[in-house]
């Protein structure tokens, strides 16, 4: 599904599916997503009778980084309900979250990031400031177990 080209895509053309199949409307509209990634650990090992005085690099566990998502407060409780499911120990609360990058004309999805077995681990509202002109924001942090890209 990933489409290769010479120039990078513009960063603001993305859709978010929070595991409910909805990518349109204000509930799926996020201003910013950051931290999508994974890391593979490497263990160093050297046998006692090795002729070389160097270590072997052995591939170890992999881990995914937490993703931070921000949007303006719109009076929707969908994120709170999901967090509440997790807080109550619902085993069905883990979801597959999809992040789709679109082409500039919004006619095609050019790359997708799949966050498998994702769950909300933090939700923050605010800051609220009566003096400023900023928009009230809410921030969601997701932990997930595996990242796949298409």
């Amino acid at each position: 599904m990933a489409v290769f080209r010479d120039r990078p895509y513009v960063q603001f053309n993305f859709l978010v599916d929070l595991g409910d199949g909805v990518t349109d409307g204000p509930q799926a509209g996020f201003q910013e997503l950051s931290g999508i990634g994974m890391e593979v650990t490497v263990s160093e090992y050297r046998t006692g009778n090795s002729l070389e005085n160097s270590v072997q690099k052995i591939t170890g566990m992999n881990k995914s980084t937490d993703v931070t998502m921000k949007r303006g407060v719109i009076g929707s409780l969908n994120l709170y309900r999901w967090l509440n499911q997790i807080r109550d120990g619902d085993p069905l609360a883990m979801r597959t979250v999809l992040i789709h990058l679109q082409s500039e004309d919004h006619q095609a999805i050019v790359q997708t990031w799949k966050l498998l077995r994702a769950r909300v681990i933090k939700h923050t509202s605010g800051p609220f400031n009566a003096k400023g002109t900023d928009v009230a924001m809410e921030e969601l942090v997701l932990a997930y177990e595996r990242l796949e890209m298409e």
Side-chain angles (χ1 to χ4, degrees):
M1 175 187 271
V3 178
F4 180 77
R5 67 185 209 168
D6 292 334
R7 276 188 220 212
Y9 289 94
V10 180
Q11 65 183 354
F12 58 81
N13 293 322
F14 64 93
L15 301 172
V16 178
D17 174 353
L18 291 171
D20 55 8
V22 177
T23 58
D24 60 347
Q27 291 191 126
F30 288 87
Q31 178 185 7
E32 180 182 335
L33 275 77
S34 60
I36 302 170
M38 65 179 159
E39 180 181 327
V40 177
T41 61
V42 174
S43 298
E44 294 182 350
Y45 177 76
R46 182 181 178 279
T47 59
N49 62 351
S50 177
L51 296 177
E52 280 189 40
N53 189 22
S54 60
V55 297
Q56 295 176 350
K57 304 273 185 170
I58 301 169
T59 302
M61 302 288 285
N62 71 80
K63 59 183 177 180
S64 302
T65 57
D66 295 341
V67 174
T68 301
M69 307 167 82
K70 296 178 183 180
R71 72 177 183 189
V73 174
I74 56 172
S76 171
L77 296 177
N78 69 326
L79 299 179
Y80 170 76
R81 287 187 191 109
W82 185 16
L83 178 58
N84 201 40
Q85 262 186 297
I86 293 161
R87 180 172 58 180
D88 289 344
D90 183 350
L92 302 176
M94 289 195 285
R95 300 181 182 178
T96 298
V97 173
L98 303 174
I99 300 155
H100 303 291
L101 182 64
Q102 296 179 294
S103 60
E104 284 85 352
D105 61 3
H106 298 263
Q107 299 301 310
I109 294 172
V110 296
Q111 190 160 333
T112 299
W113 291 261
K114 280 185 177 180
L115 313 180
L116 302 176
R117 296 178 296 282
R119 67 196 66 113
V120 181
I121 60 169
K122 182 179 178 183
H123 183 269
T124 307
S125 295
F128 302 114
N129 185 344
K131 299 182 290 184
T133 58
D134 294 341
V135 172
M137 298 292 290
E138 61 184 343
E139 181 178 297
L140 168 74
V141 179
L142 293 179
Y144 57 100
E145 295 179 5
R146 184 174 179 84
L147 171 65
E148 293 182 358
M149 295 169 52
E150 300 178 348

